[in-house]
Amino acid sequence: MVAAACQREPMGEIDPEVREVNTQFVFNIATSAAQTKQASDAVQEGANPVFRGISDAKLMSYTLSQDGEILKQDAAPSKVYDLSQLVASGSGPRRVLEMSLPIQTNTLLLYGRAPVRTDVTGGFSAKDYYGYLDDYTVSNVVGSGNFQLGKRLQNETGFYAMEKLIAGVLTVIMNTSMTTETGRESITFGDVTITTDEYPDLWWYMYYKPDGHSDTGKSPVETDKDRYPLEEKLGHLYKEMTSIYYNTTTQETELRAGSGVATLRIVTDLWSVINSVRCATPLSKAEAVAKAFAERVHIHIQKYFTGSVPSTGGPVTDVAFKSVSDIGANLIGGSINAEPVSPDLYWPNNETVKSYKPTTDELAGLTAKSPADFPANFDIMRGAAYMAFDATHYFFYYPKYFNTSATGGIPDGDVTNGFSAGSYYYPAELLYFGNSPLRTSALEHKVNDYPETVAAWNTDTEWAKTTTDGKDDWKGTHVSSTTHSVAMQYPIRYGVSMLETKVGYTSEVMSQRYLLDNNHAVQKRVVEAQGGTLGDNEEPDKHIAITNGSFKLVGVVVGGQPQNVGWDFLPRKAPGTEKIVTGFIYDKAVTNQAVPADGSPFTPNYTVVFDNYSESGYESRTEGNFGQEKVYVALEFQNCTGEDFYGNFNLIRNEGYFYLIGEVDPAKGGEVSWPTDGYVIPPYKYDNSGIYIGIPRVFIQDYKTSVTFKFGLNSLKYAYLTVPDLRASSLTMGLSVDIEWKQGLKYDEVVIGGN
């Protein structure tokens, strides 16, 4: 359907003062030529996509030195038109407008965005469902064109305060002590009383490293004896809580999950062990002290958590955080000043260690938020919260900046290459871009004269058919004093790209009907750390059976995304900076899609992203290689297998969440089908003879990159509890990848986590 504007001045009449002529202007939108984006209706994807319309439209006119050209570099337009709500939702892809265009105009740029609707399904926000930009700037000032991804973390003060709260809780619990300052008490053991002189000042770490530096294996109470069983439990628990595994060979560091859900899992396990010790029958004086120490820890935990605690020493269940106000009252006003004795030692208030005590004012803004929902209640992914432990000062903290090239932290204060929780963005909005020379006619055409389809729009002979008297065949290429009708030669296209995500299993997994976990490697690492050896056939990997409900895709994380793109929708330096800022798009508008275990097609998920062209890569290209970067994609899954399994470093609990990473290499996606109608995809590069150079990369504007990620037999061995920064070549890939461009790169099998 074509909407014709009401005419106030005769078409073709010139305004002599501004040298402009009133014309009928028509354009066509290629909504089905390049199908793109999150839910299919949000991205206009599918067999019969419903066109969402175009709003915030801007048209810019140019007079280039030669007719028939497109704009190839940013330049000031002769005029900017604010077209506002250009095309309504559900209307046809063409529109006829009355426009007053400067004489000699021969090129037009058009920008627009799809309107955000209110009919959001699945419990998602409109930002998640339709994407979101923090900036949409189109103006006549060269260099000002800017389209900026929407930053997910808006409340940074509250976010970091919640990190301090959770880290503080674990810090004070693990620094439980029985000292003369904190009330070291006499202990009754059978008919014997153990006086305060019969055991030393005790801090929990002393059950692991009695001298504070090494694990001697000795009891902190009877230093000439090996640790007793109850002491061993306390020592092992402290070690597991505070030891972050580091591989000196690969330089890989364990990523410790710091979400509220993960913390509750940790505390449930910790409390259960403590309960077994506090309810045990001691068989020695040292064990009696350990029992009393466990009781002190138990009391301490109860300041911050509730739970069902069996008096028989059984596992603790139903563990939950207390309210922020209750936690804060104990954390700031109570135990943090009493245990540990010297708060300044454990809470150095400086930026170097990225951790310090929360204040009453900081926590005041968190009363409506539950620590259990962190960080999802700040609209970022579960795996965006990293926990670390400072073994020198005995405190937990969240590194504010992280560079997980070695999947750990970065040097204190060095944020040059670091990412933070603020590096996560919403998907891009559905944006439109037109850069086209003109067709002009001296005739005033009827609405139905214009070609109907995209294919017809791109065919010269179809335009000739619109002439009824043989006098005009739309061969004009610029606006003149006799021009009555103007059309953009090329259809309007998308200024964004789209990732189509599918998930399945490799043929090997389909034949075996199971996946292997990482149990053997994890247990081998533990045994060797204790000076022992583990045979190849000992502690075998667990077989994790696959069913239709074993794994659910709940999120897609795309790495290496530019925060800003410019006038041509290619990456640009962030305003006010001298570098292209990159981060991660997190798409959570996924309706818990279970991976089919029968090999049937997985319903695609669509994520709108920016073009990731790299100019520096192009400049350093070699023969046959355009130097474009690989993209790492992390898929967020929920474990619905009914059992726990070991991932890369950690135990993935049943119903817990984990991440598998796939590498999408532009060199492995096949050939890109570049437009054949004369339209040129940025960047505007040409060889010495003037032939356009199409540069393949993972995400190309107006193109859809289809990726089928597949679980391999060993994928679970590379499951992360948190998501690395997705830039590093040292990442362990857990998924096989097959890609396909819109008629471009196709990845049919990307094994996640390796083979």
Side-chain angles (χ1 to χ4, degrees), residues 34 39 180 199 202 244 279 290 293 307 326 329 332 383 406 425 432 434 449 510 520 543 590 603 648 650 692:
T180 53
Y199 66 94
L202 285 175
I244 306 296
C279 294
F293 192 93
D326 286 344
I332 298 172
Y425 311 125
Y432 295 92
D449 285 345
M510 292 296 295
H520 178 77
H543 288 202
V590 179
T603 303
N648 197 24
N650 313 91
Y692 167 68

Side-chain angles (χ1 to χ4, degrees), residues 302-322:
Q302 287 183 312
K303 294 180 181 180
Y304 312 108
F305 300 92
T306 61
S308 178
V309 186
S311 59
T312 58
V316 179
T317 57
D318 303 321
V319 176
F321 282 99
K322 289 188 174 182

Side-chain angles (χ1 to χ4, degrees), residues 632-654:
Y632 296 100
V633 176
L635 301 187
E636 183 181 27
F637 292 102
Q638 184 177 25
N639 173 19
C640 300
T641 62
E643 54 186 316
D644 303 341
F645 64 83
Y646 276 103
N648 197 24
F649 290 104
N650 313 91
L651 188 67
I652 311 293
R653 297 287 196 175
N654 180 47

Side-chain angles (χ1 to χ4, degrees), residues 613 626-628 666 670-672 674 694-700 741 745:
Y613 168 74
F626 286 100
Q628 298 303 296
E671 296 295 324
V672 176
W674 301 105
I695 302 172
R697 60 261 188 197
V698 173
F699 298 123
I700 302 176
W741 279 106
L745 302 186

Side-chain angles (χ1 to χ4, degrees), residues 186-194 281-289 291:
S186 297
I187 299 169
T188 300
F189 169 54
D191 297 330
V192 178
T193 297
I194 306 170
T281 300
L283 301 177
S284 66
K285 288 184 179 181
E287 285 200 327
V289 175
K291 175 182 172 74

